[in-house]
Amino acid sequence: MFEREKSTASAWFRRLRDEIVAAFESLEDSHNSGPFSDAEPGCFEIRETKRQSDDGSDAGGGLMSVMRGGRVFEKVGVNVSTVFGTLGERAQQAMAARKGIPGMTEDPRFWASGISLVAHMQNPHVPAVHMNTRMFWTPHAWWFGGGSDLNPCIEYEDDTTHFHATQKSHLDPHGAGLYPRLRDWADEYFYIPHRKRARGVGGIFMDDYCTGDWQDDFTLTQDIGRAFLPAYLPLVEKRRSQPFSENDKNAQLVHRGLYAEYNLVYDRGTKFGLETGHDPDAVLMSLPPLAKWV
């Protein structure tokens, strides 16, 4: 049961990964003016990742694609994975407490697939960004999750407006009330309690999403993924050659500290990946190459 759906979702995440990687490498090749244009264009370094179960047997894996030190991207990772196995006791407790899944102790098998992206930019006027979509399955339940959010260190109202408007246009076919719901969900999820502030200017987010109609929920998840490039690429094109000062760069590094704090302290995906034995380099790909704290 659900083998066809699993295969369909996993293949989609891989296709989305390929499209984004190609678009980002094209940005690198076309950047020929302004700061960093004299550098060699960046390209993705790709390696396979593996997850091992507690007994050492194969439990799936994926592709880790990271570009460092490019003309446009200081560090960007686009990872895709499909993993499976048995949830450990702590992971079982966390899942059961949050989702109320029956039978988790009796049958703790799971399957998960998804794409995860984080981009940290050379030019501080270009906002950092995060995107992921995923599907999770157990013998007793299935659900989708993900979204994307914008993390500028120097905020531009027109950039924020474009990012949100593009996502709204992709969500509106699924119901007029969905975009406000996922926007508010993102604002709540990407909030940093110990700083009493958001880590960026928001976006859309959903977790544990299951209406009972797999195809409708999968189509929504696809549209969240499809919204990413048209929401983000125009912002990169507009800002990548903009002059910046030393103070601008300092602001970027301090803002990255917020990003690191959030991902290490609160992010559920980071916690789940490390708890279930996935490749730690792939799990921690989201961390910026440089950051600072005041």
Side-chain angles (χ1 to χ4, degrees):
M1 184 178 181
F2 261 86
E3 293 308 310
R4 179 182 63 83
E5 289 87 347
K6 291 179 191 177
S7 177
T8 299
S10 180
W12 158 253
F13 298 135
R14 174 58 188 265
R15 288 196 300 273
L16 181 60
R17 174 261 175 210
D18 293 347
E19 180 181 351
I20 292 171
V21 165
F24 282 2
E25 288 191 332
S26 179
L27 278 175
E28 283 287 311
D29 289 337
S30 64
H31 186 54
N32 53 20
S33 65
F36 307 105
S37 60
D38 291 337
E40 288 295 316
C43 61
F44 282 93
E45 299 175 5
I46 301 170
R47 72 171 176 86
E48 293 186 357
T49 60
K50 297 291 184 182
R51 177 185 178 270
Q52 287 190 333
S53 62
D54 291 340
D55 63 6
S57 61
D58 175 57
L63 286 179
M64 177 179 176
S65 306
V66 179
M67 182 194 303
R68 298 177 179 87
R71 294 173 172 176
V72 179
F73 298 94
E74 188 169 353
K75 179 187 176 186
V76 55
V78 188
N79 293 352
V80 66
S81 66
T82 298
V83 297
F84 50 86
T86 301
L87 291 169
E89 184 175 348
R90 288 175 58 185
Q92 291 176 40
Q93 292 171 354
M95 289 287 185
R98 199 167 95 239
K99 300 176 175 63
I101 300 172
M104 181 67 74
T105 303
E106 293 78 12
D107 191 348
R109 289 175 296 154
F110 82 97
W111 177 97
S113 184
I115 176 175
S116 180
L117 176 158
V118 177
H120 298 288
M121 314 305 289
Q122 292 281 20
N123 192 318
H125 293 289
V126 182
V129 73
H130 154 262
M131 187 278 292
N132 79 79
T133 57
R134 58 190 178 274
M135 175 187 165
F136 201 97
W137 171 93
T138 75
H140 310 282
W142 55 264
W143 58 91
F144 291 95
S148 59
D149 66 298
L150 199 66
N151 297 271
C153 69
I154 302 170
E155 295 184 18
Y156 292 95
E157 186 176 351
D158 53 336
D159 290 3
T160 302
T161 298
H162 170 82
F163 190 77
H164 279 270
T166 304
Q167 293 180 326
K168 182 179 185 298
S169 71
H170 283 73
L171 294 188
D172 280 351
H174 300 275
L178 188 61
Y179 165 73
R181 179 184 171 197
L182 268 58
R183 178 199 60 205
D184 293 347
W185 205 336
D187 288 344
E188 178 182 353
Y189 184 76
F190 296 113
Y191 184 77
I192 306 174
H194 67 270
R195 297 290 186 183
K196 296 181 172 58
R197 60 156 295 173
R199 78 174 189 186
V201 295
I204 53 175
F205 180 77
M206 65 181 188
D207 202 6
D208 313 339
Y209 192 89
C210 175
T211 67
D213 187 321
W214 186 89
Q215 186 59 58
D216 278 0
D217 294 352
F218 177 54
T219 301
L220 168 61
T221 303
Q222 289 178 296
D223 283 339
I224 290 173
R226 292 186 183 109
F228 172 72
L229 287 176
Y232 186 59
L233 290 189
L235 310 184
V236 182
E237 295 278 9
K238 180 165 56 175
R239 305 289 178 194
R240 63 182 178 175
S241 297
Q242 192 167 330
F244 60 86
S245 68
E246 185 176 341
N247 286 340
D248 294 335
K249 196 66 179 176
N250 184 68
Q252 181 189 51
L253 296 178
V254 171
H255 191 81
R256 285 178 178 176
L258 288 175
Y259 202 96
E261 288 176 13
Y262 177 86
N263 278 37
L264 292 173
V265 177
Y266 301 111
D267 187 72
R268 292 177 188 169
T270 301
K271 294 178 179 179
F272 179 80
L274 296 175
E275 187 69 39
T276 55
H278 198 51
D279 188 315
D281 289 332
V283 175
L284 298 173
M285 168 274 295
S286 62
L287 296 180
L290 295 171
K292 67 185 297 184
W293 285 262
V294 295

